[in-house]
Amino acid sequence: MSLSRASETNKLDNLKSLDEVIYPEIEPGIISKQMIDKAYLEDGKQGEAARLHQMEPVVYERISVLRLEFKNILRIDHLWILPNLTKLSLNCNKIEVIEHIDMLTALKELDLSFNYIEKIENIEKLVNLEVLSLFNNLIEKIQNLDTLEKLVILSLGNNKISTTHGIERFRFLKDLRVLNLEGNPIEKKENFQMNLYVAAVLPNVKYYEYKTITEEMRHKGQEKYFRELREIEANEEKEILARAAKAKEEYDEKRLASSFVEYLNEHQLYESLWKGDEDGHALLMIGQPATDLAEEYDNDIYDVTQEIYKYGLERFEERELEINEFKQNLEEGQLCIQQMGQDVIEDFLRHKERVFEQATAVLKALELRTLRGEDEESPESLELLDQFDQITVQFDDTINEVWQQLMSQELHLHESIEESTVNFQRRIQEMMAKFVEQVQTFFGQLRDIAIHFSENMTEVATHYINTKLALQDFDDVPQELLHCMEDREAILNLIAGMKDTHIQRIDEREDRLMVRSRDFIENMIDELNR
């Protein structure tokens, strides 16, 4: 560990004279395909291996390691052509911004030390990262590292970090074992000991500044930073609960979406009926009878949407069971055929050893006769040659038989999968057809409820207008309904407009469910065919 620290310090000494010594004639540039090609072809191989390596074509998908050190690089680009890159070294350059690397999701090691980076950003998607070095940059704030849950080694030494804020976030990186923050302004803070702080708040970290954190250090740190640790633990507990709640919410949302009944578990459909419905809102101003009627309407809609919601979840669980069973059977069938194939190969390899022993014995006998100077055309030699030819022919026949066996097994697997897939498709289609049929019945009930509500509202509104006209009492009539006092057809138009709006919203929600159901079937069939 002390060697790694010394290595980073040596890099710092080198950087001080970088502009004067390293490639003084090269202008700061951008990573290009030509630069990538050159770095790959000059990949440290020596002698004949280097010559053969440079003769090979550059296949970007096969490149897993790339070193672009001391190249005067100012900007990162073109790395999207390296989808399988696992190790990237960009240290000792002039990079100011971390960019255009978020697609390198296979990356395990990233070295950006000795650059001019001011902010940790655009690495949240590198979820497989295990080693990250940002040593000797211009970073002032620890941030955007929460998603790197596989991180084991992290170096942020020699930056401009002046606060402990963000260090506590490393508690969520359960695999983090090595941390370096040396050379930051925070270390110069009076009565502050970074090594003890890290030992106290990061129980999973085993090495700080590449030195072992002892139990004594951890105990001292916990005593010295007792209050800070208490606050961090309290905040962590709250966040863990919040994360669990969010995860459950996301799971439920995904589950509801997969069940095609999202936003039907509460009063969302009823509330959507009134959005933008000016006619309906005007009618609700009639008074308590209209309000009571709307409340009854809400309850009726809710009862039916609850039926849809529960039915959707039940059918979802049924489909998931069918899908998982199909996938399990498919996997078991493939493993079975694979094992059968392995058995055939192992039998063949054992047979091959016996045949090669026989062939070797015959060849040695021929060689011995030749060394003795015996005639190659003698009956004994010809008999040995005949034996060798027979062994060769029989071995060729065995190879052909093995090939036939393997191909027969493969063909059987293909036919079995094809038959299982067809049956599975039929069952899923039948299940979805049954689901759609029942849901359409529920939506028919919702339309009936909307029509019944409009009929009841007609009675309430007519009674309201007749009462006002009989008493000639228009003082408390809402402005939106005054014109209905003179024109009775106007109130019927308001009710008709409300009914049309509500039924249209119900139809739209039904159509969305139907389309999603059809898409589910089509996408699943396409996936199975692929």
Side-chain angles (χ1 to χ4, degrees), residues 333-348:
Q334 290 172 330
L335 290 174
C336 180
I337 293 296
Q338 185 181 36
Q339 185 60 51
M340 290 171 62
Q342 288 175 348
D343 292 343
V344 170
I345 292 295
E346 288 172 4
D347 288 343
F348 168 74

Side-chain angles (χ1 to χ4, degrees), residues 368-400:
L368 185 61
R369 294 182 67 84
T370 302
L371 291 173
R372 291 174 180 171
E374 298 182 11
D375 186 6
E376 294 181 0
E377 300 295 328
S378 66
E380 292 81 1
S381 296
L382 291 175
E383 183 180 353
L384 288 172
L385 287 172
D386 185 54
Q387 288 180 17
F388 187 80
D389 289 341
Q390 289 180 12
I391 292 172
T392 303
V393 170
Q394 291 173 357
F395 187 68
D396 288 342
D397 291 342
T398 302
I399 290 177
N400 187 54

Side-chain angles (χ1 to χ4, degrees), residues 413-439:
L413 174 63
H414 174 75
E415 291 174 346
S416 299
I417 289 176
E418 194 172 53
E419 182 181 357
S420 298
T421 301
V422 170
N423 293 333
F424 172 72
Q425 288 179 9
R426 186 181 68 253
R427 290 195 299 272
I428 288 292
Q429 286 172 330
E430 289 173 353
M431 293 168 68
M432 289 303 299
K434 182 180 177 182
F435 168 74
V436 167
E437 183 180 358
Q438 181 58 52
V439 167

Side-chain angles (χ1 to χ4, degrees), residues 282-479:
L283 290 167
L284 292 179
M285 296 178 183
I286 286 175
Q288 191 61 42
T291 304
D292 293 341
L293 196 61
E295 185 177 344
E296 182 184 343
Y297 182 35
D298 182 10
N299 292 332
D300 291 342
I301 292 287
Y302 175 75
D303 289 342
V304 177
T305 55
Q306 279 292 295
E307 291 292 327
I308 300 174
Y309 167 70
K310 292 175 182 177
Y311 184 73
L313 290 181
E314 289 173 1
R315 298 288 77 80
F316 167 74
E317 298 294 344
E318 186 180 54
R319 287 195 304 274
E320 283 294 288
L321 187 64
E322 185 73 28
I323 292 170
N324 292 334
E325 184 177 346
F326 169 73
K327 289 181 178 179
Q328 182 179 351
N329 291 338
L330 204 63
E331 184 177 349
E332 289 176 355
Q334 290 172 330
L335 290 174
C336 180
I337 293 296
Q338 185 181 36
Q339 185 60 51
M340 290 171 62
Q342 288 175 348
D343 292 343
V344 170
I345 292 295
E346 288 172 4
D347 288 343
F348 168 74
L349 291 176
R350 286 191 291 269
H351 174 73
K352 186 196 78 169
E353 289 180 5
R354 293 194 298 269
V355 170
F356 275 37
E357 287 176 1
Q358 295 174 6
T360 301
V362 172
L363 289 174
K364 283 184 178 179
L366 281 169
E367 183 180 4
L368 185 61
R369 294 182 67 84
T370 302
L371 291 173
R372 291 174 180 171
E374 298 182 11
D375 186 6
E376 294 181 0
E377 300 295 328
S378 66
E380 292 81 1
S381 296
L382 291 175
E383 183 180 353
L384 288 172
L385 287 172
D386 185 54
Q387 288 180 17
F388 187 80
D389 289 341
Q390 289 180 12
I391 292 172
T392 303
V393 170
Q394 291 173 357
F395 187 68
D396 288 342
D397 291 342
T398 302
I399 290 177
N400 187 54
E401 289 175 7
V402 169
W403 184 85
Q404 292 287 351
Q405 279 184 281
L406 293 174
M407 290 303 100
S408 175
Q409 291 174 1
E410 195 71 22
L411 180 61
H412 175 71
L413 174 63
H414 174 75
E415 291 174 346
S416 299
I417 289 176
E418 194 172 53
E419 182 181 357
S420 298
T421 301
V422 170
N423 293 333
F424 172 72
Q425 288 179 9
R426 186 181 68 253
R427 290 195 299 272
I428 288 292
Q429 286 172 330
E430 289 173 353
M431 293 168 68
M432 289 303 299
K434 182 180 177 182
F435 168 74
V436 167
E437 183 180 358
Q438 181 58 52
V439 167
Q440 286 177 325
T441 302
F442 287 134
F443 275 97
Q445 294 175 13
L446 289 172
R447 280 186 284 270
D448 290 341
I449 291 171
I451 294 171
H452 182 63
F453 171 70
S454 64
E455 291 172 350
N456 290 339
M457 184 60 79
T458 301
E459 294 179 10
V460 171
T462 302
H463 178 72
Y464 174 77
I465 291 174
N466 289 338
T467 301
K468 290 297 181 182
L469 289 173
L471 299 174
Q472 289 295 299
D473 177 16
F474 306 120
D475 293 340
D476 59 348
V477 175
Q479 187 69 30

Side-chain angles (χ1 to χ4, degrees), residues 14 32 52 55 75 106 126 207 219 326 400 449 451 518:
N14 293 336
S32 63
L52 294 174
M55 291 174 60
R75 289 191 57 198
L126 306 183
Y207 302 91
H219 183 68
F326 169 73
N400 187 54
I449 291 171
I451 294 171
R518 286 196 298 271

